[in-house]
Amino acid sequence: MLRYYVVAIVAFAVDQFIKWSVATFMDIGQKIPLISGFIQLTSIRNRGAAFGILQNQRLFFIVVTTIVLIGIIFYLYKIHRKQKELAYALALIFGGALGNFVDRALHGEVVDMLEFTFINYPVFNLADVYIVTGGVLVMINTLRVSRTEKA
């Protein structure tokens, strides 16, 4: 079971390092192209959730994220031996959720920095990538298991 916590801790640590680097070395609003016409670093702060919804709802996010993190810990313990793929997906979600949780708890806002320049899409951070990737993997796993059980 330790391997899943290692995945979560590494995801959390990388997210926090990137956020610290952006907050330390970039001014708010500053943009640095990474791949021209595709993606850039854009230093912004977000006091809400995805797409800027629920602005200034810090206590709400702290309570909900605490419940989610505790739920993931219990569920990981329950499934870690039989459903390894699902456990890795949950570890990614845990690492990302913990990264955004720490930002909100300590600073009241999340550092966002990844911006697609080829579409109009909100700026996001690495923790968001972990959460979405983990969520997609959970859905894929659920569909795969559902099809296996039907067969």
Side-chain angles (χ1 to χ4, degrees):
M1 186 151 138
L2 180 63
R3 73 183 105 185
Y4 307 114
Y5 290 115
V6 169
V7 168
I9 290 166
V10 169
F12 168 76
V14 171
D15 170 69
Q16 290 296 292
F17 176 75
I18 299 294
K19 289 175 180 173
W20 172 84
S21 298
V22 168
T24 301
F25 299 110
M26 293 179 69
D27 296 325
I28 293 178
Q30 182 180 356
K31 299 174 184 282
I32 300 172
L34 295 177
I35 302 172
S36 182
F38 183 71
I39 193 165
Q40 66 187 7
L41 287 180
T42 302
S43 178
I44 68 164
R45 305 302 178 269
N46 183 356
R47 293 181 171 272
F51 308 107
I53 63 172
L54 299 171
Q55 288 291 312
N56 299 311
Q57 299 298 315
R58 182 180 185 187
L59 181 60
F60 171 76
F61 288 120
I62 289 172
V63 169
V64 169
T65 307
T66 300
I67 293 167
V68 168
L69 292 172
I70 290 169
I72 289 173
I73 289 169
F74 282 114
Y75 200 63
L76 265 175
Y77 179 76
K78 181 179 176 183
I79 59 103
H80 76 278
R81 291 191 179 152
K82 295 180 182 175
Q83 298 182 22
K84 292 180 183 353
E85 297 89 0
L86 180 59
Y88 280 116
L90 292 174
L92 280 177
I93 294 170
F94 189 92
L98 185 61
N100 284 341
F101 173 83
V102 167
D103 286 356
R104 287 191 180 100
L106 296 180
H107 309 294
E109 61 190 11
V110 173
V111 176
D112 285 333
M113 80 292 294
L114 298 170
E115 181 178 16
F116 291 123
T117 56
F118 66 99
I119 58 172
N120 184 18
Y121 192 80
V123 181
F124 56 99
N125 61 47
L126 202 52
D128 300 331
V129 173
Y130 297 143
I131 293 166
V132 170
T133 302
V136 168
L137 292 173
V138 166
M139 287 189 290
I140 290 169
N141 181 280
T142 302
L143 290 171
R144 189 179 51 80
V145 168
S146 172
R147 286 182 183 168
T148 303
E149 288 175 355
K150 285 182 182 178

